[in-house]
Coordinates of all heavy atoms in Angstrom, one line a residue:
K1081 N 74.1 49.7 178.7 CA 73.3 50.3 177.6 C 74.1 50.4 176.3 O 73.6 50.1 175.2 CB 73.0 51.8 178.0 CG 72.2 52.6 177.0 CD 70.8 52.1 176.8 CE 69.9 53.2 176.1 NZ 70.3 53.5 174.7
V1084 N 74.1 46.8 174.9 CA 72.8 46.5 174.3 C 72.6 47.2 173.0 O 72.1 46.6 172.0 CB 71.7 46.8 175.3 CG1 70.3 46.7 174.7 CG2 71.8 45.9 176.5
D1085 N 72.9 48.5 172.9 CA 72.8 49.2 171.7 C 73.6 48.6 170.6 O 73.1 48.5 169.4 CB 73.2 50.7 171.9 CG 72.2 51.5 172.7 OD1 71.0 51.0 172.8 OD2 72.5 52.6 173.1
R1088 N 72.0 45.2 169.5 CA 70.7 45.3 168.9 C 70.6 46.3 167.7 O 69.5 46.5 167.2 CB 69.6 45.6 169.9 CG 69.5 44.5 171.0 CD 68.4 44.9 172.0 NE 68.3 43.8 173.0 CZ 67.4 43.9 174.1 NH1 66.6 44.9 174.2 NH2 67.4 42.9 174.9
G1089 N 71.7 46.9 167.4 CA 71.7 47.8 166.3 C 71.3 49.3 166.6 O 71.2 50.1 165.6
G1090 N 71.2 49.7 167.8 CA 71.0 51.0 168.1 C 72.2 51.9 168.1 O 73.3 51.4 167.9
A1091 N 72.1 53.2 168.2 CA 73.2 54.1 168.2 C 73.8 54.2 169.6 O 73.1 54.2 170.6 CB 72.8 55.5 167.7
R1099 N 73.9 61.2 167.0 CA 72.9 60.2 167.2 C 71.5 60.5 166.7 O 70.7 59.6 166.4 CB 72.8 59.9 168.7 CG 74.0 59.4 169.4 CD 73.9 59.2 170.9 NE 73.1 58.1 171.2 CZ 72.0 58.2 171.9 NH1 71.6 59.3 172.3 NH2 71.3 57.1 172.2
I1102 N 71.1 58.7 163.3 CA 71.4 57.2 163.2 C 70.1 56.5 163.6 O 69.5 56.7 164.6 CB 72.5 56.8 164.2 CG1 73.8 57.6 163.9 CG2 72.8 55.3 164.1 CD1 74.4 57.4 162.6
N1103 N 69.7 55.6 162.7 CA 68.5 54.8 163.0 C 67.3 55.6 163.3 O 66.5 55.3 164.2 CB 68.7 53.7 164.1 CG 69.7 52.7 163.7 OD1 69.9 52.4 162.5 ND2 70.3 52.0 164.7
D1106 N 63.9 54.0 163.7 CA 63.7 53.0 164.7 C 63.1 53.6 166.0 O 63.8 54.4 166.7 CB 65.1 52.3 165.1 CG 64.9 51.1 165.9 OD1 63.9 51.0 166.7 OD2 65.7 50.2 165.8
L1107 N 61.9 53.4 166.2 CA 61.2 54.0 167.3 C 61.5 53.5 168.7 O 61.3 54.2 169.7 CB 59.6 53.9 167.1 CG 59.1 54.5 165.8 CD1 57.7 54.0 165.6 CD2 59.1 56.0 165.9
K1108 N 62.1 52.3 168.7 CA 62.5 51.7 170.0 C 64.0 51.9 170.3 O 64.3 52.5 171.4 CB 62.2 50.2 170.0 CG 62.5 49.6 171.4 CD 62.1 48.1 171.3 CE 62.4 47.4 172.7 NZ 62.0 46.0 172.7
L1109 N 64.8 51.5 169.4 CA 66.3 51.5 169.7 C 67.0 52.7 169.1 O 68.2 53.0 169.4 CB 66.9 50.3 169.2 CG 66.4 49.0 169.8 CD1 67.1 47.8 169.2 CD2 66.7 49.0 171.3
G1110 N 66.3 53.5 168.2 CA 67.0 54.6 167.6 C 67.1 55.8 168.6 O 66.7 55.8 169.7
P1111 N 67.9 56.8 168.2 CA 68.2 57.9 169.1 C 66.9 58.7 169.5 O 66.0 59.0 168.6 CB 69.1 58.8 168.3 CG 68.8 58.4 166.9 CD 68.5 57.0 166.9
G1112 N 66.7 58.9 170.8 CA 65.5 59.5 171.3 C 64.3 58.6 171.3 O 63.2 59.1 171.5
G1113 N 64.5 57.3 171.1 CA 63.4 56.4 171.1 C 63.0 55.9 172.4 O 63.6 56.3 173.5
L1114 N 62.2 54.9 172.5 CA 61.6 54.4 173.7 C 62.7 53.9 174.7 O 62.7 54.1 175.9 CB 60.6 53.3 173.5 CG 59.3 53.8 172.8 CD1 58.5 52.6 172.3 CD2 58.5 54.7 173.7
A1115 N 63.7 53.1 174.1 CA 64.8 52.6 175.0 C 65.6 53.7 175.6 O 65.9 53.6 176.8 CB 65.7 51.6 174.2
D1116 N 65.9 54.7 174.9 CA 66.7 55.8 175.4 C 65.9 56.4 176.6 O 66.5 56.7 177.7 CB 66.9 56.9 174.3 CG 68.2 56.7 173.6 OD1 69.0 55.8 173.9 OD2 68.6 57.6 172.8
D1184 N 59.1 48.0 164.9 CA 59.5 49.2 165.6 C 60.0 50.2 164.7 O 60.5 51.3 165.1 CB 60.7 48.8 166.6 CG 60.2 47.9 167.7 OD1 59.1 48.1 168.2 OD2 61.0 47.0 168.1

Side-chain angles (χ1 to χ4, degrees):
K1081 176 70 161 66
V1084 170
D1085 283 345
R1088 297 183 179 178
R1099 300 176 68 240
I1102 305 296
N1103 291 341
D1106 190 330
L1107 298 167
K1108 182 177 181 180
L1109 298 177
L1114 293 170
D1116 266 2
D1184 292 325

